[in-house]
């Protein structure tokens, strides 16, 4: 049997909202306000309301969002920035691009987010900021990150690209959306993200008026008024077409999150008694928006062979992220580069497998994924004479 199951299905999602999206696009075309139009400001306000944050500033993409945020903090070359050792490369990339020094910290074996027990050991008098990256849809341990940041006078820039919409609950019962707890939060509207546009897009969040003003300037050539450049900036803008599309999709974000959670629950109940599969950990302090549904396979199972066999029958799966950050050629000059420094990141890289999850998945597709995955694992165990 050959399936055609993809990691995500944006066309079916689009089909359901096509009329609204078409109308939004036509409105922008009719207005000819393609850059810095009304749609952009309206979207920024609507997202700010949704998040419960004072300022949202649209920008070109999630990587720019991180870069602009770090530029706004007035850091000096050689300042050290704490980043997770297991994450998408964007954070470490912009840190290096700005002449800052990334200090990697291993991650928590359950949440895969930065391990807060290991942060303080890495702090020196050059440390200026922590960038927690909320992996796969769940918040990092913000209570502890904020405590450390407060104690050592560090900035916190939350990379919220995978967890937009997740809610974090502090020990005192206070609840906040991810991306809105540190000094600055950043996100990406890459099409596959939970709130995705139809091209590139990103945004920066902050409750600090001064930072908001500076971020807005940096994203627009360092100018507050046209042709007056007060700081060195860049050109990174969310365009009006993307903003108009995002305004439509933002209305569905809660529904999309609910759908993703239903799919995750289905997978959980199918796999929870299987001793070869560890289902995603649900942190009590954070809701999960399931940007990815990522299982771990037992170390005695050849994860890459499982992925290949799924692919051979037309079922997509992904490994996020297959190569350790410290082994990437581009970053190999940074000092900390031994597998032994990051045992959890190393273990995760070898065992994780993300399964298809998207808002249009039905039970039939999910059942086919589950049944075939289990069959493949059992076949491999038989071939290896183990179970
Ligand atoms: C955690 C994280 N940070 C940053 C980015 C970068 O976003 P963009 O592709 O919009 O630059 C991504 C995108 O994949 C991401 O997953």
């Amino acid at each position: 049997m050959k399936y055609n199951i993809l990691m995500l299905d944006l066309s079916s999602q689009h089909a359901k909202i096509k009329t609204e999206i078409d109308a939004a696009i036509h409105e922008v075309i009719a207005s000819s306000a393609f850059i810095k139009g009304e749609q952009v400001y309206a979207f920024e306000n609507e997202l700010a309301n949704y998040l419960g944050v004072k300022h949202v500033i649209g920008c070109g993409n999630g990587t720019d969002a991180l870069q602009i945020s770090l530029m706004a903090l007035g850091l000096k070359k050689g300042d050290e920035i704490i980043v997770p050792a297991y994450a998408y490369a964007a954070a470490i990339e912009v840190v290096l691009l700005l002449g800052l020094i990334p200090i990697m910290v291993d991650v928590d074996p359950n949440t895969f987010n930065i391990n807060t027990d290991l942060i303080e050991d890495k702090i020196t008098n050059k440390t200026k900021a922590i960038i927690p990256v909320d992996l796969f849809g769940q918040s990092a341990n913000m209570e502890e990150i904020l405590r450390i940041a407060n104690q050592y006078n560090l900035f916190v820039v939350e990379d919220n690209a995978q967890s937009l919409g997740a809610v974090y609950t502090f020990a005192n019962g206070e609840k906040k959306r991810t991306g809105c707890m540190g000094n600055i939060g950043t996100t990406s509207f890459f099409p596959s993200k939970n709130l995705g546009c139809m091209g590139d897009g990103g945004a920066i969040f902050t409750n600090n008026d001064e930072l908001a003003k500076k971020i807005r300037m940096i994203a627009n050539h360092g100018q507050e008024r046209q042709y007056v450049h007060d700081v060195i900036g860049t050109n990174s803008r969310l365009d009006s077409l993307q903003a108009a599309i995002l305004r439509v999709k933002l209305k569905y974000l809660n529904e999309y999150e609910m759908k993703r959670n239903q799919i995750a629950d289905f997978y959980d109940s199918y796999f929870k008694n299987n001793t070869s599969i560890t289902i995603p950990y649900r942190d009590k302090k954070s809701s999960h928006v399931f940007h990815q549904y990522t299982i771990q396979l037992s170390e005695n199972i050849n994860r890459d062979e499982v992925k290949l066999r799924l692919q051979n029958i037309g079922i997509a799966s992904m490994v996020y992220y297959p190569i350790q950050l410290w082994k990437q050629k581009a970053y190999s000059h940074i000092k900390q580069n031994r597998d032994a420094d990051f045992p959890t990141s190393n273990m995760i890289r070898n065992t994780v497998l993300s399964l298809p999850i998207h808002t249009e998945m039905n039970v039939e597709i999910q059942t086919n994924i589950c049944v075939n995955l289990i069959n493949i694992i059992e076949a491999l165990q038989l071939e290896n004479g183990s179970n």
Side-chain angles (χ1 to χ4, degrees):
M1 174 92 188
K2 186 91 177 174
Y3 303 92
N4 182 24
I5 302 178
L6 307 173
M7 284 301 284
L8 83 168
D9 176 1
L10 289 175
S11 332
S12 305
Q13 187 189 65
H14 177 63
K16 289 193 176 157
I17 53 173
K18 183 178 180 321
T19 317
E20 280 180 90
I21 296 275
D22 285 355
I25 290 173
H26 282 118
E27 201 181 314
V28 175
I29 295 172
S31 76
S32 293
F34 296 113
I35 301 286
K36 291 191 156 290
E38 235 175 71
Q39 294 287 342
V40 177
Y41 299 114
F43 171 66
E44 288 176 346
N45 282 334
E46 285 159 13
L47 185 59
N49 281 341
Y50 173 86
L51 292 170
V53 72
K54 205 164 169 194
H55 304 278
V56 168
I57 300 120
C59 66
N61 55 65
T63 310
D64 280 3
L66 283 163
Q67 182 179 330
I68 294 164
S69 300
L70 292 178
M71 286 169 79
L73 294 176
L75 305 170
K76 294 187 311 296
K77 278 201 172 12
D79 284 346
E80 294 178 358
I81 312 295
I82 288 179
V83 293
Y86 178 74
Y88 186 60
I92 200 169
E93 181 179 44
V94 301
V95 165
L96 287 165
L97 202 64
L98 295 174
L100 305 166
I101 299 175
I103 302 295
M104 283 188 276
V105 170
D106 207 2
V107 296
D108 179 278
N110 292 317
T111 63
F112 307 160
N113 284 324
I114 195 163
N115 187 335
T116 48
D117 291 340
L118 306 177
I119 293 179
E120 282 178 274
D121 273 355
K122 301 277 182 112
I123 293 176
T124 70
N125 56 8
K126 287 188 178 163
T127 311
K128 290 288 160 2
I130 307 174
I131 307 182
V133 181
D134 297 337
L135 218 58
F136 302 150
Q138 206 164 218
S139 178
N141 181 354
M142 288 306 294
E143 183 123 29
E144 189 56 10
I145 289 168
L146 293 175
R147 182 197 65 75
I148 295 169
N150 198 28
Q151 182 173 338
Y152 296 90
N153 204 18
L154 309 177
F155 294 112
V156 176
V157 177
E158 297 172 72
D159 182 346
N160 184 235
Q162 299 189 8
S163 67
L164 189 79
V167 175
Y168 184 82
T169 308
F170 288 86
N172 66 3
E174 189 186 3
K175 289 181 189 294
K176 286 199 176 163
R177 295 263 191 208
T178 52
C180 309
M181 294 174 268
N183 303 83
I184 306 180
T186 65
T187 205
S188 162
F189 303 122
F190 186 80
S192 64
K193 293 290 186 263
N194 288 21
L195 179 62
C197 59
M198 295 185 178
D200 274 312
I204 304 167
F205 328 133
T206 184
N207 283 309
N208 181 307
D209 298 343
E210 278 297 301
L211 276 176
K213 187 172 161 196
K214 204 160 169 202
I215 287 165
R216 228 175 244 295
M217 284 169 71
I218 292 172
N220 186 29
H221 298 291
Q223 52 187 356
E224 199 183 354
R225 284 179 296 134
Q226 203 173 18
Y227 307 129
V228 181
H229 305 273
D230 291 334
V231 292
I232 293 178
T234 182
N235 174 15
S236 182
R237 298 181 289 226
L238 182 69
D239 67 66
S240 305
L241 280 171
Q242 300 307 335
I245 290 162
L246 287 165
R247 287 185 74 194
V248 173
K249 293 185 78 177
L250 180 59
K251 289 191 279 177
Y252 295 94
L253 188 58
N254 285 340
E255 190 183 318
Y256 291 164
E257 182 188 324
M258 220 155 48
K259 191 75 211 287
R260 286 176 177 274
N261 267 277
Q262 277 167 10
I263 292 158
D265 290 346
F266 182 101
Y267 276 140
D268 275 5
S269 55
Y270 209 100
F271 297 141
K272 69 173 186 250
N273 295 322
N274 190 303
T275 51
S276 306
I277 296 176
T278 305
I279 58 175
Y281 179 79
R282 312 273 190 123
D283 190 341
K284 285 189 186 64
K285 290 183 185 157
S286 174
S287 64
H288 206 317
V289 296
F290 285 101
H291 175 57
Q292 298 297 340
Y293 184 88
T294 304
I295 56 169
Q296 277 183 280
L297 298 178
S298 312
E299 283 183 84
N300 61 347
I301 294 168
N302 183 338
R303 186 268 323 268
D304 292 338
E305 182 63 22
V306 172
K307 184 174 183 305
L308 183 67
R309 291 189 188 190
L310 282 169
Q311 186 183 315
N312 288 343
I313 53 166
I315 299 177
S317 61
M318 286 290 283
V319 173
Y320 300 108
Y321 297 95
I323 303 175
Q324 300 94 319
L325 284 172
W326 60 94
K327 284 196 175 153
Q328 298 283 357
K329 194 170 155 200
Y331 320 134
S332 56
H333 59 289
I334 49 184
K335 275 185 237 132
Q336 326 114 320
N337 57 4
R338 295 176 317 127
D339 288 359
D341 292 334
F342 310 109
T344 307
S345 301
N346 224 11
M347 179 273 292
I348 292 170
R349 175 195 83 94
N350 286 321
T351 55
V352 284
L353 190 67
S354 296
L355 301 179
I357 186 162
H358 57 80
T359 56
E360 309 312 311
M361 262 174 107
N362 59 32
V363 170
E364 190 191 336
I365 298 176
Q366 268 206 283
T367 309
N368 285 333
I369 296 167
C370 295
V371 169
N372 282 286
L373 175 66
I374 299 219
N375 284 347
I376 288 169
I377 290 173
E378 285 174 356
L380 272 171
Q381 284 170 329
L382 270 180
E383 287 165 32
N384 295 335
S386 66
N387 62 40

